[in-house]
Amino acid sequence: MSEHCQEALCCRPDDLRSALSIHTRKITDSCRDKDCIEDLRVFLTRESQAILDTAAAAKVRCADLLYTSIDVSPVAFNQNHYCIDLTFYYRIIADAMVGSCHPATLCGLAMFSKRAVLCGEHSDAHIFTSDASNCGPCNCSNSLPTAVVEVLDPMVLSSKVVSVCTQEASALQIPDCVQGRFDDELVLGGDKQRLFVTLGQFSIIRLERDTQIVVPVLDYSIPTKECCDNPGCAEDPCQIFAKIPFPASQFTPTGCEHDRCDSCGNYQTT
């Protein structure tokens, strides 16, 4: 906690200037999850799929979370509770072994859907806003709570290549913002080999509602740091280095069974 915050929490009643009404969001309910997502299919780009179809093996290098779609709907049989349906979209980078050449890079999309049920409380108010991102010229109303999801990039736990016997195509609805992150079309069917990955993911899910509260006011916040247009003038490099704690643990030898990180920063166990 900063010194400024510590001083504010230790204030005397005589220091209070006034009371201020503010608009904020109240967290009505929250949960955390640790998902082990096994054998998640990777839909490769057309060029990557052509490489995998002739590859002897492939190994996933890393996974990046591109986008999370969120849908909130009331639970019919449980008042004040809501379903949060989530779909996570990952960009998967892998290395394929083709002959005796250097590994070829593969790129594709993996998706994972899950549901959480949380208490979002009840509100009869219809909320209209002038936000330009709203529903159009009539500004649609909404009485649902707002779902917020915090997710870390997943850890790659394992991967495998499986030969395909059937040639059915998958019917997927891929958001344009996700499709646009790939340079080539994604292959949804007609492949000879498929790449599967197992991911580990940490997430926090919460429901929030708009509320108005009254808070005590000490003073209005005025920045104390002066503006600077030179990146080098913010702080002396030696002063920054002096604040970094000595990394004693990095000098300690570790056993052969110790977890290692791959080139993408994901943990891999031996």
Side-chain angles (χ1 to χ4, degrees):
M1 185 181 295
S2 67
E3 295 179 359
H4 178 75
C5 292
Q6 289 177 341
E7 293 174 359
L9 291 175
C10 297
C11 68
R12 298 172 299 175
D14 296 342
D15 293 332
L16 295 178
R17 301 289 190 270
S18 62
L20 184 68
S21 178
I22 67 170
H23 172 263
T24 186
R25 283 181 176 177
K26 169 189 175 183
I27 298 176
T28 61
D29 200 2
S30 62
C31 64
R32 66 180 187 183
D33 256 341
K34 180 181 178 182
D35 294 300
C36 181
I37 312 165
E38 295 186 90
D39 296 337
L40 200 60
R41 180 180 170 183
V42 180
F43 296 91
L44 298 173
T45 62
R46 190 163 299 280
E47 180 181 358
S48 297
Q49 185 63 57
I51 296 174
L52 181 66
D53 285 342
T54 60
K59 182 178 181 182
V60 172
R61 189 196 313 165
C62 62
D64 299 320
L65 180 63
L66 296 178
Y67 174 67
T68 302
S69 67
I70 307 173
D71 183 65
V72 180
S73 59
V75 177
F77 56 86
N78 198 344
Q79 189 178 13
N80 300 337
H81 284 71
Y82 296 82
C83 287
I84 304 103
D85 291 299
L86 310 167
T87 301
F88 302 97
Y89 297 86
Y90 311 99
R91 177 171 52 202
I92 306 297
I93 305 297
D95 294 317
M97 277 57 79
V98 182
S100 59
C101 302
H102 292 291
T105 300
L106 306 179
C107 181
L109 172 70
M111 294 171 289
F112 169 60
S113 296
K114 64 177 296 181
R115 168 176 288 185
V117 177
L118 294 175
C119 177
E121 299 184 349
H122 178 72
S123 175
D124 291 321
H126 294 275
I127 301 174
F128 296 84
T129 71
S130 59
D131 189 347
S133 64
N134 229 318
C135 300
C138 292
N139 293 338
C140 69
S141 68
N142 185 12
S143 60
L144 295 175
T146 300
V148 179
V149 183
E150 298 181 38
V151 192
L152 299 180
D153 279 332
M155 299 177 183
V156 176
L157 303 179
S158 67
S159 60
K160 64 181 180 181
V161 176
V162 177
S163 298
V164 180
C165 297
T166 58
Q167 298 297 320
E168 81 285 354
S170 299
L172 296 178
Q173 296 293 332
I174 302 175
D176 293 338
C177 62
V178 174
Q179 182 70 61
R181 301 292 294 272
F182 296 90
D183 297 332
D184 196 2
E185 180 185 359
L186 296 171
V187 176
L188 305 182
D191 43 354
K192 297 178 180 178
Q193 296 197 109
R194 291 178 182 173
L195 179 64
F196 292 85
V197 62
T198 297
L199 303 176
Q201 178 178 268
F202 296 94
S203 61
I204 295 176
I205 306 169
R206 64 178 182 267
L207 285 180
E208 301 177 348
R209 277 197 182 276
D210 287 0
T211 188
Q212 300 82 40
I213 61 175
V214 176
V215 296
V217 178
L218 299 180
D219 209 341
Y220 285 97
S221 176
I222 304 298
T224 58
K225 184 177 69 174
E226 295 184 0
C227 298
C228 176
D229 58 0
N230 181 1
C233 72
E235 193 169 2
D236 182 80
C238 290
Q239 293 179 354
I240 297 176
F241 181 73
K243 296 178 182 179
I244 301 176
F246 190 86
S249 61
Q250 297 185 25
F251 288 86
T252 304
T254 58
C256 297
E257 300 300 322
H258 190 268
D259 290 350
R260 299 192 300 269
C261 290
D262 62 13
S263 59
C264 295
N266 296 313
Y267 288 105
Q268 291 185 332
T269 57
T270 54

